[in-house]
Amino acid sequence: MYIDTHCHLSKEYYDDIDQIIEEDKNALVDKIIISGCEKNNIYEVIDFIHKYDIAYATIGYHPDQIDLIKPGDLEILENLIKTNKKIVGIGEIGLDYHYCNDNNTKIKQKMLFEQQLTLAEKLSLPVVIHSRDATKDTIEILKKYHLSGIIHCFSGSLETANVYINMGYKLGIGGVLTFKNSKLYEVVEKIPLTSIVLETDSPYLTPEPYRGKQNSSKYIPLIAKKISDIKNISLDQVSEITIKSCYDLFDLNK
Ligand code: NI
């Protein structure tokens, strides 16, 4: 069995959601955590967690939503979390400086990030962190809070990995690990399996040998296999330990 800790399930990407869920189950992916991180898709994600037993969600406002956020939106987030038991965390939230070179936007992103971290502390929920070209600021901000969670789509150095791990975070590892010459290879080899959780980030970042095609949670076993090869351990061990980490982080018994 496997858990996909991060996917973007939406009718925007997939014609037949029922079929996608069936395929996930057939691939032994028995839980998926959908990231509802855009203002206009959060309600669709909530529909899915009610409709499909295997589906859970984290919700939050992604840094690229910064110009859409209005006063009152954080209260909406809080109310949705309190009234939907299968929302098990806040995310993906964080900082994305990739297309951002003005300081004002960075300041606004940091403020939104901190407001949501404060909410996570208040509700005692784990967080799913999106950090792109913003490692230094992300670490600095996370140090101010006492939270657990996942560094989604981790792509940094071994040194950065260890900083996050020492702060109590798990690293979300996905399809990038299967790409030729992936820098993640060394990181995965050297960090403990207990600090790794599996994710697809589907429909993006499809693992080899399907790179270039549409991704979905059914490909999680390919990522698990790659980890078992790199760490020279059994696939069962990868399954067992990563699932335990997910249950340690998220309340998935609902
Ligand atoms: Ni994502």
Side-chain angles (χ1 to χ4, degrees):
M1 292 294 182
Y2 302 97
I3 295 175
D4 183 356
T5 60
H6 194 114
C7 60
H8 297 272
L9 198 65
S10 170
K11 286 177 187 152
E12 195 186 331
Y13 312 121
Y14 305 100
D15 295 333
D16 188 343
I17 304 286
D18 288 353
Q19 190 197 330
I20 293 289
I21 296 285
E22 260 331 287
E23 288 173 358
D24 295 347
K25 289 182 180 173
N26 291 339
L28 303 179
V29 177
D30 74 335
K31 285 190 170 37
I32 60 170
I33 302 176
I34 309 167
S35 174
C37 58
E38 290 168 23
K39 268 185 88 171
N40 67 7
N41 85 339
I42 286 177
Y43 292 93
E44 184 189 29
V45 168
I46 291 172
D47 282 346
F48 290 154
I49 62 176
H50 289 145
K51 187 167 178 200
Y52 301 110
D53 56 345
I54 73 166
Y56 293 77
T58 60
I59 63 169
Y61 302 122
H62 190 285
D64 72 10
Q65 301 283 295
I66 195 74
D67 292 327
L68 303 172
I69 304 301
K70 302 206 165 55
D73 281 344
L74 282 161
E75 285 75 14
I76 292 174
L77 207 60
E78 183 170 352
N79 281 330
L80 289 172
I81 292 167
K82 284 178 174 166
T83 50
N84 291 279
K85 283 193 183 136
K86 287 176 84 187
I87 297 176
V88 292
I90 296 186
E92 56 191 281
I93 57 172
L95 304 173
D96 194 325
Y97 295 167
H98 193 67
Y99 299 106
C100 159
N101 30 35
D102 73 294
N103 221 21
N104 197 28
T105 308
K106 286 184 184 175
I107 289 168
K108 284 203 284 186
Q109 281 192 13
K110 285 194 236 184
M111 207 188 292
L112 178 64
F113 185 27
E114 294 220 38
Q115 285 168 329
Q116 295 182 97
L117 293 172
T118 303
L119 181 61
E121 268 192 348
K122 180 180 167 188
L123 301 177
S124 302
L125 283 176
V127 288
V128 176
I129 305 298
H130 173 105
S131 175
R132 194 175 185 198
D133 298 342
T135 304
K136 191 172 157 282
D137 284 0
T138 303
I139 291 172
E140 214 165 87
I141 289 173
L142 287 179
K143 275 188 177 157
K144 296 198 255 172
Y145 297 84
H146 295 98
L147 291 163
S148 62
I150 296 173
I151 309 300
H152 156 56
C153 199
F154 179 79
S155 62
S157 65
L158 181 61
E159 192 191 348
T160 305
N162 282 323
V163 172
Y164 284 128
I165 291 168
N166 290 333
M167 289 165 67
Y169 285 86
K170 314 269 184 207
L171 307 184
I173 301 293
V176 175
L177 180 67
T178 68
F179 297 172
K180 218 180 158 196
N181 301 324
S182 172
K183 286 186 295 178
L184 268 183
Y185 203 98
E186 193 206 352
V187 175
V188 165
E189 191 179 17
K190 294 191 172 150
I191 63 172
L193 182 59
T194 48
S195 295
I196 295 174
V197 291
L198 309 176
E199 63 171 46
T200 57
D201 204 19
S202 50
Y204 317 107
L205 300 173
T206 314
E208 292 287 5
Y210 302 108
R211 193 175 178 182
K213 301 202 172 111
Q214 188 176 53
N215 200 3
S216 75
S217 300
K218 71 180 173 191
Y219 292 137
I220 277 285
L222 295 172
I223 298 157
K225 174 75 172 63
K226 189 74 188 180
I227 293 171
S228 80
D229 289 345
I230 292 172
K231 294 186 98 54
N232 203 14
I233 53 177
S234 72
L235 201 52
D236 280 350
Q237 249 177 307
V238 176
S239 154
E240 194 182 307
I241 302 293
T242 55
I243 285 182
K244 184 181 179 304
S245 292
C246 290
Y247 275 90
D248 288 347
L249 275 178
F250 301 110
D251 185 358
L252 298 172
N253 294 306
K254 292 172 281 200

Coordinates of all heavy atoms in Angstrom, one line a residue, residues 6 8 92 152 201, ligand 1:
H6 N 0.6 14.3 -2.0 CA 0.4 15.6 -2.7 C 0.0 15.4 -4.1 O 0.8 14.9 -5.0 CB 1.7 16.4 -2.6 CG 1.6 17.8 -3.0 ND1 1.8 18.8 -2.0 CD2 1.3 18.4 -4.1 CE1 1.6 20.0 -2.6 NE2 1.3 19.8 -3.9
H8 N -2.8 17.1 -7.3 CA -3.8 18.2 -7.7 C -4.9 17.5 -8.5 O -4.8 17.5 -9.7 CB -3.1 19.3 -8.4 CG -2.1 20.0 -7.6 ND1 -2.4 21.1 -6.8 CD2 -0.8 19.8 -7.4 CE1 -1.3 21.5 -6.1 NE2 -0.3 20.7 -6.5
E92 N -0.9 23.8 -0.2 CA 0.5 24.1 0.0 C 0.6 25.7 0.2 O 0.0 26.4 -0.6 CB 1.3 23.6 -1.1 CG 0.8 24.1 -2.5 CD 1.5 23.4 -3.7 OE1 2.6 23.7 -4.0 OE2 0.8 22.5 -4.2
H152 N 7.3 20.2 0.4 CA 6.8 19.6 -0.8 C 7.8 19.8 -1.9 O 8.4 20.8 -2.1 CB 5.5 20.4 -1.1 CG 5.0 20.4 -2.5 ND1 4.8 19.2 -3.2 CD2 4.7 21.4 -3.3 CE1 4.4 19.6 -4.4 NE2 4.4 20.9 -4.5
D201 N 2.7 15.2 -7.0 CA 2.4 16.5 -7.5 C 1.7 16.5 -8.8 O 1.8 17.4 -9.7 CB 3.7 17.4 -7.6 CG 3.4 18.9 -7.6 OD1 2.3 19.3 -7.1 OD2 4.2 19.7 -8.0
Ligands
NI1 NI 1.6 21.1 -5.7

